[in-house]
Amino acid sequence: GLGFNIVGGTDQQYIANDSSIYVSRIKKDGAAYLDGRLQEGDKILAINGKDLKDLRHKDAVELFRNAGHYVSLKIQRRLQPQNGPAGHRGDGESGGLPLAAILVPGLALAATAVWILLRYRQRM
């Protein structure tokens, strides 16, 4: 296979009022994973030049199954939100460091610097 799962279609809308086909999961060590360009959440607009608009889910699956050895996908990249994680990644990992992992050490360092400065001034 191509190494990824899809969701969507006219009969199984993944997003309300949107019958597009989306990548739901990329299988580790599969073709898409090894290629590295496709991402979970990407909208697939066409496969081998065939438009995926207004297809039922099973018809889209059939197009992928019969795509052949050389596959060309036209995709639309999922937009990343400006403040917050990209969404559930499904692998148990978050999209980045929690804010506390950055603020706590920074505040501790600042407090230590103030304490050293005050101690230094008292000795003068």
Side-chain angles (χ1 to χ4, degrees), residues 1 3-4 6-7 10 12 23 33 48 59-60 64 68 82 85 98 112 119:
F4 63 92
I6 59 171
V7 292
T10 57
Q12 296 181 18
V23 176
Y33 177 86
N48 293 338
D59 295 329
F64 284 96
Q82 294 300 312
T112 303
R119 297 277 292 178

Side-chain angles (χ1 to χ4, degrees), residues 21-65:
I21 303 296
Y22 291 87
V23 176
S24 63
R25 185 170 82 93
I26 296 180
K27 298 174 184 176
K28 191 164 181 117
D29 298 326
Y33 177 86
L34 296 173
D35 177 77
R37 290 180 282 181
L38 197 62
Q39 296 179 10
E40 291 177 2
D42 285 349
K43 181 190 290 190
I44 304 176
L45 304 174
I47 179 168
N48 293 338
K50 171 74 172 136
D51 190 2
L52 298 182
K53 190 174 181 174
D54 297 326
L55 286 181
R56 293 179 301 175
H57 180 79
K58 71 177 190 173
D59 295 329
V61 168
E62 200 60 32
L63 281 176
F64 284 96
R65 285 193 177 139

